[in-house]
Amino acid sequence: MVTNKKDIRALTKEQLRDFFVKQGDKAFRGNQVYEWLWQKAAHTFDDMTNISKETRKMLEDNFVINHIEVDNMQRSNDGTIKNAVRLHDGLIVESVLIPTPTRTTACVSSQVGCSLDCKFCATARLKRMRNLNPDEIYDQVVAIDNESRHYHNRPLSNIVFMGMGEPLMNYNNVLKAIDKITSPEGLGMSSKRITLSTSGVPKMIKKMADDGVKFNLAVSLHSAIEEVRTSIMPFNETFPLDDLREALEYWYAKTKRKISYEYVVWNGINDTQKDIDALVKFCKYVPCKVNIIEYNPIDDGEYQQASSEALEQYIKTLEQHRIVVNVRRSRGKDIDAACGQLANKS
Ligand code: SAH
């Protein structure tokens, strides 16, 4: 339901404290409500049991809590869970829980749809409808943390911004959400366990470095050859590889944190020695590691995972150059929960 009441979670703690003072109450009441809203992730004012009935009614008259609803939860036979999440205005995004023997990772969305146009990604086919608010990002994490505790008997351990959307095109809200996720007044998670994945917006990578963020950075590279990258990720024309390189050098100089490159190898697109050599060269600019991701087909087969020989050749050459390389098997394919498959299909 859409109302004109203000979303209470758009208020800072200070604003909430001021609000109570203006109501003739104590500023401390603001702290209590703030704790309910974030740390305890209350869905309704009535959940706030240490707040008087009158105060809860007053809050109800002035505000809404625009919490998300998990509309549909699907469980894969490999333990992966995909949530279709309904936002207060009825739009849907998806988030994924990925369990491994040692960790549980939440893959969360930052936008409804995506404004970028990567040819191989299902989300790119959805129009970008809007940015997610900080609380909508936070709520996805809370929902997955609850599911992790329920189905896997352990709390969430890691978060990746690799769901729908380009996080650096919703920078302020993503940062606010991460602040809440890492704050002791929120979920108290370590920023070392959070990774923001971007297709590479140079200006924003520099801004993040300037802002002194403490989380990890992954860049969806997929090709280190200009024409090839532009053909599969057309926005590369606006943000060419030289600019990306410069921004990454800036990031490393400021943060001293290694970058991860996400890389899919496709048949006939980036599977030659020339492609590998270009990647090796790119990897020399800034300390990094390479994550080779398995391709998750999204449609008519225009893009196909390269042969295992081509992958082996990538791995061999990278290792010869002492570049750390991991191969990521995809998870949750049977429920369309794998990288690049999030498209609100069910
Ligand atoms: N916009 C951000 C985050 C979302 S995409 C980014 O580009 O990084 C998350 C990761 O999935 C990216 O590395 C992306 O390149 C990759 N990806 C997209 N479609 C894919 C597909 N069909 N198969 C495998 N990986 C895919």
Side-chain angles (χ1 to χ4, degrees), residues 107-108 110-111 114 116 118-124 160-168 196-200 218-222 229 233 235 261-264 266 291 293-299 303 305 330 338-342:
C107 173
V108 298
S110 54
Q111 298 182 309
C114 190
L116 299 181
C118 304
K119 299 282 190 212
F120 48 82
C121 179
T123 309
V160 292
F161 282 81
M162 292 189 190
M164 294 174 155
E166 169 48 54
L168 293 191
L196 182 149
S197 176
T198 175
S199 45
V219 173
S220 302
L221 190 60
H222 303 311
R229 195 167 194 261
M233 304 169 82
F235 66 86
Y261 295 126
E262 312 290 320
Y263 205 98
V264 177
W266 292 279
N291 291 325
I293 314 176
E294 196 182 327
Y295 178 56
N296 302 304
I298 56 164
D299 56 9
Y303 286 84
Q305 167 81 39
S330 67
C339 284
Q341 291 189 314
L342 302 183

Side-chain angles (χ1 to χ4, degrees), residues 31-78:
N31 299 9
Q32 286 179 310
V33 171
Y34 192 83
E35 188 175 318
W36 277 108
L37 291 174
W38 295 103
Q39 202 170 42
K40 298 182 184 159
H43 278 201
T44 69
F45 294 110
D46 273 339
D47 291 341
M48 304 181 177
T49 43
N50 62 352
I51 308 289
S52 74
K53 277 219 168 91
E54 299 74 60
T55 306
R56 282 188 249 157
K57 166 86 175 53
M58 181 275 292
L59 288 171
E60 188 86 57
D61 292 341
N62 285 281
F63 298 105
V64 285
I65 305 176
N66 279 336
H67 61 83
I68 62 162
E69 294 290 348
V70 177
D71 224 30
N72 182 20
M73 186 197 85
Q74 287 172 275
R75 291 176 71 195
S76 158
N77 46 31
D78 68 13

Side-chain angles (χ1 to χ4, degrees), residues 245-261:
R245 167 193 174 174
E246 196 215 328
L248 295 173
E249 285 169 344
Y250 187 89
W251 161 273
Y252 188 76
K254 285 232 156 170
T255 68
K256 292 284 174 285
R257 276 202 305 284
K258 263 192 185 176
I259 291 156
S260 303
Y261 295 126

